[in-house]
Amino acid sequence: MTEFKRAFSLVWDHFTLVTPNKVQCALCSQRLSFNKNTSAMLRHLRSRHPSEAWYSNSTSGAHSSTSNSTSGVHSTFSNSIISSAGVHSSFSGTTGLNSMFTNNAAAGHHIQVRTTRQEDLDDALVNMLVKDTQPFSVVEEEGFAAFVQKLDPSYNLPNKQALKKMVGSRCEFINDNVVSQMVISDFVSLTSDMWTSIDKHSYISVTGHLVAENAQLSTFLLGISKLPENHKVIHIEEAKNQLVASWGLHSRVAAFVTENSENMVATVQKLGILQLPSFAHVLNLVIKRSMEATLELQDIRSQARAIVAFFKLNQNAEMRLAEVQGQLGRPEQKLIQEVDSRWNSSFSMLERVFDQRESVAAALSTLDTDIIPLGSADYEVIHQCLGVLGSFNQATAELASEKRVSASKVIPLVRMLKITLEKKHGAIIHPTATQLASNLQRELQTSCSMVETEPILALSALLDPRFKMLAFGNQGYAQEAVKLLTSECASLIRINPDKDDTLPPSTTGSTTPSPTSPQTSSWAMETTSVSMATSPSKSHDGGLWEMFDSKVGETQSVQSSTADAAVEVQHYLSDPYLNRVENPMHYWEKHSKVYPHLFQLARKYLSVPASSVPCERIFTKAGDVFNKKRSCLSMKTIEQIMLLNKGLV
């Protein structure tokens, strides 16, 4: 097999087989693994040596000679991600992935690929399978093969084994780019969640989040791990540890965001990583508890659930509702069933029932059922309570749809929710709505009273140019956050003194160093302690004063770095606020050289998401992968399909 490939592949003109499993590049001497095919070598040449003469020759005809060859997938994937609309559609919204390739191009690694017709069609086929989550066996279906033959008789349809190799090659390509980003990123944030497939197996997935050097936020799937049937904390811990360790991230995790269940919190703590509760889950619990404590609203919810279930399960009733909606000139809308795990589904259910109250009542009156319709008094309660819950629904939707920066929003969101509740509480006249507002205020105070003292949230809000100190309701907490930010900035200056040249000069009136308060010392993020080199005048007293002179030098160094940090922080805080709807990363892209040390901290803290929604998106899509036609997929293949399908979310 090796001799066959060497005889017919021009790639071997640039590689030497040094061992049965290793090849060496003649252009850069790098060694690669060799698995009886030229895929890795092709990928290496196209990514590392795109301008070499081999490029225009080796792609002509080699791939089309066999239907099972996968050598062309690397080039077509590289090219299509950058310029092909077909591939871009399968990575819709994946700005993080595109930014990675932009970085490579900016660094001089231009990807200019010439592909054959066979390679283009192979690439499009893989795109279709991944995007539509179709089984590999579709290429063996007679109908599909006949359809493809009718479209292009010259196309050699690959078998499913070749498709699996193409998918694997694509995943390697994406992982290589993810690794290259993580190598130059000091910190990565993680999210994790568990889910159960249609075949009742439990899985845990982990996503990573980082801010690249070009200030673009990237989110990517680190991996999926299957859990034992009767999984316990130890199994979850092992799965998380394996996923984190496989990427070498233990010492570089800024925060691990999970739901606040005992299992998830315990496993993250055992990993020695800072755990941050998912704010979306906290908010969900706050609202669910408040609604459950409002008894009249609970009774109305139960009645509304029964009405919705009746129309959902009875086809004749659903058709009758649509007819009535047409007769009354109302929009034809189906009722929405609530989901226990998502409070906003209850909001959507009540909102739809209220909007269609006339149609629902008219339809029920013509149907043979013992379902009791809601009365006008009930609808008034729904209307008033929806008004109270409206701002919470907006906050939940904003967190779920956030694709840029979210942790920095937690403190200002909590503050705005409290202010909005206070205003509505004074304007509400219905006792049930008043009780709901009171319950929300109590639960919000219980669960979120200390968010302004949480260092990750405080620093992320402070480093968000949309919020800064205005995010805080308590100015004492705001000042503590500024002190902590100054302290971390000073540590970076001591570690990287060469980055001070872009800063305004410090003055004698600069803020003096302030020690970290006892509240923050236990949770301040780790920074490498570096002893600053000092050069006191050489002692002639036999070293009697050596320790003292050294201490003086260190103290002066600390004071100087703290003063410089205070200047950088104060200049940043005095800059105009960014419009709230703008992307804060655009600000840092422009000011990365103006505030170099704060930019490093922004990359750390603004990478932290407010919730585990990214993981939830993964397992929501995974439901399409786990079906009867894919019951025999290996864990590795499942992970590859999900990685390609979601790209970088």
Side-chain angles (χ1 to χ4, degrees):
M1 177 64 71
T2 301
E3 293 304 320
F4 173 84
K5 288 184 175 291
R6 296 190 67 174
F8 289 90
S9 177
L10 293 177
V11 175
W12 284 103
D13 292 342
H14 300 277
F15 281 91
T16 303
L17 188 67
V18 292
T19 71
N21 297 317
K22 289 287 183 180
V23 292
Q24 183 171 347
C25 177
L27 299 173
C28 65
S29 300
Q30 182 176 344
R31 292 195 176 191
L32 306 173
S33 296
F34 176 62
N35 297 312
K36 309 303 180 185
N37 62 62
T38 60
S39 299
M41 292 182 279
L42 273 169
R43 184 171 65 253
H44 173 82
L45 289 173
R46 289 189 170 106
S47 62
R48 301 301 178 119
H49 312 292
S51 61
E52 296 298 327
W54 74 273
Y55 217 75
S56 60
N57 299 323
S58 62
T59 58
S60 59
H63 178 80
S64 59
S65 63
T66 172
S67 63
N68 294 341
S69 174
T70 63
S71 61
V73 70
H74 309 286
S75 61
T76 53
F77 182 52
S78 308
N79 186 54
S80 58
I81 284 183
I82 296 175
S83 61
S84 169
V87 177
H88 183 267
S89 64
S90 67
F91 291 93
S92 57
T94 61
T95 55
L97 180 62
N98 293 331
S99 69
M100 288 185 176
F101 293 106
T102 303
N103 289 345
N104 290 339
H109 303 296
H110 300 287
I111 305 175
Q112 299 175 346
V113 183
R114 301 178 184 180
T115 62
T116 66
R117 172 73 172 167
Q118 175 77 27
E119 292 170 336
D120 286 339
L121 293 177
D122 282 350
D123 202 51
L125 176 61
V126 175
N127 291 338
M128 183 203 75
L129 295 178
V130 170
K131 181 179 175 64
D132 300 337
T133 60
Q134 293 294 320
F136 294 123
S137 59
V138 71
V139 295
E140 298 177 348
E141 300 287 345
E142 291 184 11
F144 181 77
F147 175 69
V148 172
Q149 183 69 15
K150 193 73 173 178
L151 286 176
D152 190 343
S154 65
Y155 176 53
N156 294 315
L157 192 65
N159 59 28
K160 64 180 183 180
Q161 286 75 24
L163 284 177
K164 286 185 179 181
K165 291 182 180 179
M166 294 178 191
V167 167
S169 298
R170 284 196 173 196
C171 288
E172 289 179 13
F173 189 90
I174 290 181
N175 286 335
D176 286 346
N177 282 279
V178 171
V179 168
S180 67
Q181 287 295 307
M182 289 196 293
V183 165
I184 59 177
S185 297
D186 294 329
F187 289 96
V188 177
S189 299
L190 305 178
T191 60
S192 181
D193 214 336
M194 291 191 299
W195 44 282
T196 304
S197 66
I198 193 172
D199 57 2
K200 305 304 180 183
H201 290 149
S202 296
Y203 298 85
I204 187 167
S205 56
V206 177
T207 58
H209 314 262
L210 60 84
V211 176
E213 286 188 318
N214 65 348
Q216 297 301 310
L217 182 66
S218 297
T219 298
F220 44 89
L221 176 64
L222 284 180
I224 301 173
S225 183
K226 187 176 181 180
L227 297 173
E229 185 174 350
N230 297 318
H231 57 270
K232 299 180 181 179
V233 173
I234 184 64
H235 300 134
I236 302 173
E237 179 187 353
E238 289 175 355
K240 284 185 178 180
N241 187 58
Q242 182 179 1
L243 290 174
V244 174
S246 63
W247 292 84
L249 297 178
H250 272 105
S251 62
R252 296 191 291 130
V253 178
F256 204 141
V257 180
T258 69
E259 61 177 272
N260 219 23
S261 65
E262 292 184 6
N263 282 0
M264 298 298 273
V265 173
T267 55
V268 174
Q269 290 177 345
K270 289 183 178 180
L271 292 176
I273 299 173
L274 176 65
Q275 188 268 346
L276 190 67
S278 168
F279 180 64
H281 286 92
V282 172
L283 197 60
N284 189 63
L285 289 175
V286 164
I287 302 166
K288 287 186 67 176
R289 290 170 181 167
S290 301
M291 294 175 67
E292 290 168 357
T294 310
L295 299 182
E296 186 176 0
L297 178 60
Q298 277 295 89
D299 293 339
I300 293 174
R301 279 179 63 199
S302 298
Q303 197 170 348
R305 277 197 300 268
I307 292 173
V308 173
F310 172 72
F311 282 100
K312 286 287 185 182
L313 299 175
N314 190 317
Q315 186 177 9
N316 291 332
E318 191 171 46
M319 293 174 60
R320 180 56 184 156
L321 177 61
E323 291 175 3
V324 172
Q325 288 172 338
Q327 294 169 1
L328 296 177
R330 302 290 297 170
E332 187 174 325
Q333 296 175 326
K334 294 184 178 181
L335 300 183
I336 299 174
Q337 184 64 278
E338 71 174 2
V339 180
D340 290 338
S341 59
R342 295 191 297 111
W343 87 267
N344 54 334
S345 65
S346 302
F347 182 92
S348 299
M349 178 188 71
L350 293 174
E351 186 177 47
R352 181 60 55 83
V353 167
F354 180 80
D355 290 341
Q356 296 293 336
R357 56 191 180 278
E358 295 176 355
S359 302
V360 170
L364 285 175
S365 65
T366 62
L367 294 168
D368 183 17
T369 177
D370 55 358
I371 296 291
I372 302 174
L374 294 167
S376 58
D378 298 324
Y379 283 118
E380 181 60 26
V381 172
I382 292 175
H383 179 63
Q384 293 283 333
C385 289
L386 287 176
V388 174
L389 293 169
S391 55
F392 287 86
N393 185 59
Q394 181 182 345
T396 301
E398 192 167 327
L399 286 173
S401 62
E402 183 64 72
K403 294 181 180 178
R404 297 195 296 262
V405 174
S406 56
S408 61
K409 279 189 172 182
V410 173
I411 290 177
L413 266 180
V414 170
R415 186 184 177 197
M416 292 302 103
L417 286 173
K418 289 181 178 179
I419 292 174
T420 304
L421 268 180
E422 290 176 2
K423 290 182 178 179
K424 290 185 176 181
H425 195 277
I428 297 171
I429 57 175
H430 198 285
T432 302
T434 301
Q435 183 185 1
L436 176 61
S438 298
N439 293 339
L440 285 168
Q441 285 179 317
R442 183 186 66 253
E443 290 291 340
L444 201 59
Q445 180 63 25
T446 301
S447 302
C448 304
S449 61
M450 301 303 291
V451 291
E452 294 188 7
T453 65
E454 169 55 52
I456 293 284
L457 299 179
L459 290 175
S460 62
L462 205 58
L463 287 165
D464 192 322
R466 299 172 297 176
F467 306 127
K468 299 182 185 178
M469 295 185 68
L470 285 181
F472 297 82
N474 185 317
Q475 287 307 300
Y477 293 150
Q479 292 298 332
E480 286 298 318
V482 172
K483 290 180 181 179
L484 180 60
L485 181 61
T486 304
S487 175
E488 293 215 20
C489 186
S491 297
L492 285 179
I493 292 176
R494 289 194 293 273
I495 296 171
N496 304 304
D498 294 336
K499 290 192 176 184
D500 294 342
D501 53 351
T502 57
L503 298 177
S506 59
T507 62
T508 55
S510 300
T511 306
T512 56
S514 54
T516 305
S517 67
Q519 294 173 317
T520 62
S521 61
S522 61
W523 47 253
M525 299 305 295
E526 295 180 5
T527 53
T528 305
S529 178
V530 178
S531 298
M532 300 301 296
T534 58
S535 55
S537 55
K538 194 170 182 179
S539 176
H540 299 285
D541 46 31
L544 175 64
W545 291 93
E546 183 177 353
M547 182 179 294
F548 177 82
D549 293 340
S550 175
K551 200 66 176 177
V552 169
E554 291 177 5
T555 303
Q556 289 176 338
S557 175
V558 169
Q559 290 176 337
S560 175
S561 60
T562 303
D564 290 340
V567 171
E568 186 171 347
V569 170
Q570 291 304 319
H571 273 265
Y572 159 71
L573 294 177
S574 64
D575 272 0
Y577 281 81
L578 195 66
N579 189 293
R580 185 180 57 81
V581 298
E582 293 187 41
N583 187 346
M585 305 319 300
H586 291 166
Y587 171 91
W588 284 112
E589 184 179 9
K590 295 177 181 178
H591 293 78
S592 61
K593 304 300 182 183
V594 180
Y595 308 118
H597 305 99
L598 290 181
F599 175 57
Q600 290 186 62
L601 294 175
R603 290 183 63 191
K604 174 181 178 179
Y605 292 110
L606 295 185
S607 70
V608 181
S611 69
S612 55
V613 168
C615 265
E616 293 178 13
R617 292 193 184 114
I618 295 293
F619 66 69
T620 297
K621 189 64 179 180
D624 296 332
V625 177
F626 293 94
N627 54 52
K628 292 181 180 179
K629 289 188 176 182
R630 300 187 130 176
S631 58
C632 297
L633 283 181
S634 67
M635 192 65 244
K636 180 179 179 181
T637 304
I638 291 170
E639 189 175 86
Q640 289 176 341
I641 293 172
M642 291 309 305
L643 173 63
L644 292 181
N645 186 278
K646 297 306 293 184
L648 289 97
V649 285

